[in-house]
Amino acid sequence: MKGVLSILALAALCQGQIDISCSPSNLSCLENRTKVDQALLEISNSVTFPIQNDPFYDTPSNFTQAQPGQIVKLETQTNVTAYDVPPGTSLSRFMYASVDDKNQTVPATGIILWPFTPKTFAYNPLGTAGETKYPLVAWAHGTSGVVRQCAVSNLRNLQYDFRSVFTLANLGYAVVIADYAGLGTNVPFNYLAYKLHANDVVYGVSAAQSVFPELSTEWLSFGHSEGGGVAWAIAERQAVSPIPGFLGTIAAAPPPFPIATTSTASNSVFQAFLSFTIARLYGLDLAAIFNPIPLQALQYVESIGGCNDAGYAAFATFNASDIYSNLSWPMSAPAADFLAEYSVSGKPLGGPLLIVQGSADTVVGTVGAMLGYNATCALAANAQVSVQYVSVNNQDHNPSLYASQRLWLQWIEDRFNRFPLQEGCSMVNESSARPGASVQTAERFLVEYTKPWVTIFTSTFLPSYLWKFDLGYAQGTS
């Protein structure tokens, strides 16, 4: 009943305070509904708001002396009562050195979700003579936002709750979660710049292992959505700049190509977020592509520490022409340069790759993942590497993680057990044995918080009168 009341409270608040009739020229209306949306859907899931109030995220004055992968701040026993993690688990936060697009050292933060007891394996590389070793899975998270407030280590459910990280910990894996430089720390965040986030994850693994000898030297990476691209980039990084112990990577719902330069702009807030990165790295002129008020609305989202939901609210009811004055900007030279530099696929891999893609994904379509798979498989250097593409039939972006859970958990266990994989590329279609109409396709539950909180990922969580508006990852349905 409490969950039902929370949904009703959300519906009442949306209906009463979030003005879904805002015009794209009314900045005060857009700012108001963004602020209301943030207060309802984001702040209560933050451990600290604003994040600047937590001294853990302050960069120490001697940071410039740190080398990539070096710990600069450590909290071995994080206060779990501030989080909504499963009973029996514990947390450790740490700050470490990573590198940016200019190969300059930058601060990054991360968090470790520890299981109650570590998982053991028939093949035991995890310690001898009575040592206790925790098998390490490096989690690469999906889009949480583009400002420091959106650090996953500052989210009460660590963003993915039982979709991935809680499940992994409950089964005995230590999950090392990198925030990506700029989420948490006060440096620019370069959204969808996969190889930079891959650096953050890999250096995060090295940093965690350096201060927690109970972590296994063997590790694998796993990511979803934006993190799926990051996980793919980690496998490519391992081919040219490896760190020891890498067992493989899982790229779930990955967009190998962070922007499509063959199509015009969409109304996706993610594309709008990305434009800020392209402007910073390649000089894209934001004033020349945005209509003035939507640009100010997006800047307002950032100024108040808004994350995904606040971004949705800013653009919720608009089409692309309401947002942009130049719909062809994704085909511009700066966008093409970003695509060339930060796409994944078509490169040598430093270990096995499992791609998990929902066939009904409305956020990251199957076309990009398939193109990336084909480009990677066509490379002679990958002929002896296992690359498997699993299509999860009739499942969407987040639900595909649940539907394929048995498969990816087994894949992870097999890697730690050193079971051999077939070399080369293969494809698998995973379908339910039950009749299609009887299979759940929507994600209808999330972890419930002390404060009423519901994240709008799809129209599933909205009252029916709001379904036609684009308030979630998926395009609005009318």
Side-chain angles (χ1 to χ4, degrees), residues 204-385:
V205 168
S206 295
Q209 289 173 327
S210 72
V211 291
F212 293 107
E214 62 267 40
L215 287 170
S216 65
T217 54
E218 293 75 18
W219 63 282
L220 57 79
S221 54
F222 182 8
H224 176 258
S225 197
E226 177 189 17
V230 177
W232 201 318
I234 290 169
E236 295 178 348
R237 187 188 190 280
Q238 282 294 117
V240 295
S241 185
I243 69 167
F246 181 66
L247 299 175
T249 195
I250 303 172
F257 314 103
I259 186 168
T261 58
T262 56
S263 60
T264 56
S266 75
N267 67 340
S268 166
V269 71
F270 300 121
Q271 192 178 75
F273 282 159
L274 178 59
S275 71
F276 279 46
T277 295
I278 298 175
R280 181 165 48 250
L281 297 181
Y282 292 99
L284 180 67
D285 186 352
L286 296 177
I289 68 168
F290 276 92
N291 289 322
I293 298 303
L295 176 58
Q296 291 177 60
L298 199 62
Q299 291 168 332
Y300 178 74
V301 171
E302 294 198 341
S303 72
I304 64 172
C307 300
N308 284 356
D309 288 307
Y312 301 152
F315 290 167
T317 54
F318 303 147
N319 58 39
S321 61
D322 293 326
I323 300 167
Y324 300 107
S325 59
N326 178 2
L327 292 176
S328 64
W329 75 263
M331 295 178 275
S332 66
D337 289 343
F338 180 85
L339 180 72
E341 183 68 21
Y342 291 105
S343 294
V344 293
S345 78
K347 303 181 184 74
L349 300 175
L353 167 65
L354 173 66
I355 302 167
V356 179
Q357 177 68 55
S359 70
D361 195 323
T362 56
V363 183
V364 176
T366 60
V367 173
M370 183 57 66
L371 286 172
Y373 167 79
N374 288 333
T376 298
C377 291
L379 202 65
N382 291 327
Q384 295 180 308
V385 180

Side-chain angles (χ1 to χ4, degrees), residues 9-20 40 456 462-463 465-466:
L10 169 63
L13 190 65
C14 285
Q15 195 169 25
Q17 298 184 39
I18 296 181
D19 189 349
I20 60 176
L40 177 69
I456 298 174
L462 295 177
Y465 69 86
L466 287 178

Side-chain angles (χ1 to χ4, degrees), residues 133-263:
K133 292 284 187 178
Y134 291 78
L136 192 164
V137 175
W139 175 251
H141 67 80
T143 305
S144 60
V146 294
V147 294
R148 66 185 304 191
Q149 181 65 41
C150 312
V152 169
S153 65
N154 189 51
L155 299 181
R156 288 154 59 99
N157 70 338
L158 304 181
Q159 188 188 22
Y160 272 83
D161 53 69
F162 289 102
R163 296 184 190 106
S164 58
V165 293
F166 290 0
T167 300
L168 288 165
N170 282 346
L171 290 177
Y173 295 97
V175 188
V176 176
I177 306 170
D179 285 325
Y180 310 147
L183 301 180
T185 53
N186 191 25
V187 296
F189 171 60
N190 294 309
Y191 178 49
L192 295 180
Y194 297 139
K195 67 180 182 181
L196 301 183
H197 309 332
N199 286 335
D200 299 333
V201 173
V202 170
Y203 287 129
V205 168
S206 295
Q209 289 173 327
S210 72
V211 291
F212 293 107
E214 62 267 40
L215 287 170
S216 65
T217 54
E218 293 75 18
W219 63 282
L220 57 79
S221 54
F222 182 8
H224 176 258
S225 197
E226 177 189 17
V230 177
W232 201 318
I234 290 169
E236 295 178 348
R237 187 188 190 280
Q238 282 294 117
V240 295
S241 185
I243 69 167
F246 181 66
L247 299 175
T249 195
I250 303 172
F257 314 103
I259 186 168
T261 58
T262 56
S263 60

